[in-house]
């Protein structure tokens, strides 16, 4: 399954607009899926990510721009306009970029295509967080969700496991998407994440929609979510999902 660049672009645009709308509604509302965060803190985090990525992309930076060069968010209501400015900046930067152009990234995937995908998923999950502060969030597109599962387990976690002290679960986990294409077998290969896309038996198995697999994998929902089926060692599944935090 391949995600079209336009789908990533739409997720970034509409998701960012929804995050800003949450800020306009109540900046002090708690975000239940991000314990300890308010909507203000959510806008501050995502807005700073947008500015960092926007600068790397706009400047075609092939080395990391230090974090202390990225503007810090303001206090109070000014955060909303600041967020919207960063959201516009990263969209404009990505719109001007070719997928194969070189750019630094923390994951070692040093082309613009990495950021098309990363910004879509960063935004989609945090859009869900922002809306969860006020009730039931709108669903994430299931194909986009399945692509986000692939990104997490094939790009994000292998990088973090290889570069930081991260104890991987000994047990394997099979993920099975129930509303379209998508199966993943996750295993600990001598301290490295090994992912194969196959129908295979793991020590644990979880069946859910593409959107719910993404939310499970980023620990936004639990295995007790209606429509989620778990087989085998449920603690092993939770251990794999806990790696995303």
């Amino acid at each position: 399954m391949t995600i079209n660049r336009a789908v990533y672009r739409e997720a970034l645009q509409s998701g960012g607009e929804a995050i800003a709308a949450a800020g306009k509604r109540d900046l002090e509302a708690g975000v239940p899926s991000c314990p300890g965060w308010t909507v203000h803190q959510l806008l501050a985090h995502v807005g700073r990510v947008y500015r960092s990525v926007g600068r790397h992309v706009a400047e075609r930076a092939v080395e990391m721009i230090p974090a202390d060069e990225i503007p810090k968010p303001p206090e109070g209501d000014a955060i909303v306009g600041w967020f919207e400015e960063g959201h516009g900046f990263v969209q404009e930067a990505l719109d001007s970029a070719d997928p194969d152009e070189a750019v630094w990234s923390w994951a070692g995937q040093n082309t613009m295509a990495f950021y098309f995908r990363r910004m879509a998923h960063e935004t989609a999950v945090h859009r869900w967080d922002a809306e969860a502060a006020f009730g039931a969030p709108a669903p994430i597109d299931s194909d986009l969700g399945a692509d986000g599962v692939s990104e997490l387990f094939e790009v994000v976690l292998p990088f973090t496991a290889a570069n930081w002290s991260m104890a991987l679960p000994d047990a394997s986990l099979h993920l099975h998407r129930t509303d379209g294409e998508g199966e993943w077998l996750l295993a600990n290969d001598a301290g490295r994440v090994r992912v194969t896309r196959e129908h295979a038996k793991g020590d644990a198995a979880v069946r859910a929609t593409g959107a719910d697999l993404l939310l499970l994998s980023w620990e936004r929902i639990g295995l007790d979510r209606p429509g989620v089926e778990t087989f085998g060692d449920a603690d092993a599944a939770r251990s794999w999902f806990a790696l995303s935090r």
Side-chain angles (χ1 to χ4, degrees):
M1 181 182 64
T2 302
I3 297 291
N4 187 287
R5 176 178 175 176
V7 175
Y8 291 144
R9 179 65 171 78
E10 168 59 22
L12 172 57
Q13 179 177 339
S14 63
E17 290 170 352
I19 294 171
K24 293 171 183 176
R25 185 170 179 179
D26 183 0
L27 286 168
E28 297 309 312
V31 181
S33 51
C34 299
W37 274 20
T38 63
V39 171
H40 188 290
Q41 289 168 304
L42 180 63
L43 266 68
H45 167 74
V46 181
R48 201 147 188 256
V49 170
Y50 286 164
R51 278 172 163 73
S52 177
V53 171
R55 274 201 61 187
H56 282 88
V57 171
E59 297 176 19
R60 274 51 176 178
V62 294
E63 295 184 356
M64 184 184 76
I65 296 172
D68 60 10
E69 293 187 19
I70 307 303
K72 290 183 171 56
E75 299 294 332
D77 293 347
I79 189 72
V80 177
W82 183 88
F83 173 87
E84 290 178 317
E85 183 181 76
H87 182 226
F89 174 49
V90 75
Q91 289 178 90
E92 183 178 352
L94 288 170
D95 285 347
S96 72
D98 183 275
D100 296 325
E101 282 187 272
V103 65
W104 176 88
S105 86
W106 52 264
Q109 292 198 348
N110 297 317
T111 67
M112 298 294 181
F114 169 80
Y115 285 121
F116 296 159
R117 189 187 202 192
R118 179 85 289 276
M119 287 302 91
H121 294 307
E122 177 83 8
T123 302
V125 172
H126 283 314
R127 186 275 300 165
W128 192 93
D129 291 330
E131 292 182 345
F134 304 103
I140 293 173
D141 175 81
S142 193
D143 285 343
L144 185 69
D147 183 69
V149 173
S150 294
E151 187 213 30
L152 174 60
F153 291 114
E154 295 175 352
V155 179
V156 177
L157 287 183
F159 176 82
T160 55
N163 289 276
W164 284 279
S165 297
M166 176 182 285
L168 299 179
D170 291 326
S172 59
L173 171 63
H174 181 249
L175 302 177
H176 188 126
R177 181 185 175 193
T178 57
D179 61 347
E181 176 186 345
E183 294 191 66
W184 303 261
L185 180 66
L186 316 176
N188 180 347
D189 184 4
R192 292 183 177 272
V193 179
R194 176 165 53 85
V195 184
T196 54
R197 298 195 193 189
E198 60 178 319
H199 184 72
K201 183 175 176 60
D203 296 302
V206 176
R207 289 170 48 88
T209 65
D212 280 352
L213 287 176
L214 178 67
L215 294 170
L216 285 162
S217 297
W218 282 102
E219 280 204 315
R220 266 40 186 198
I221 60 174
L223 295 174
D224 57 350
R225 171 109 160 171
V228 173
E229 297 179 281
T230 307
F231 306 90
D233 187 353
D235 287 338
R238 294 188 187 96
S239 295
W240 277 101
F241 298 151
L243 297 175
S244 64
R245 286 289 186 175

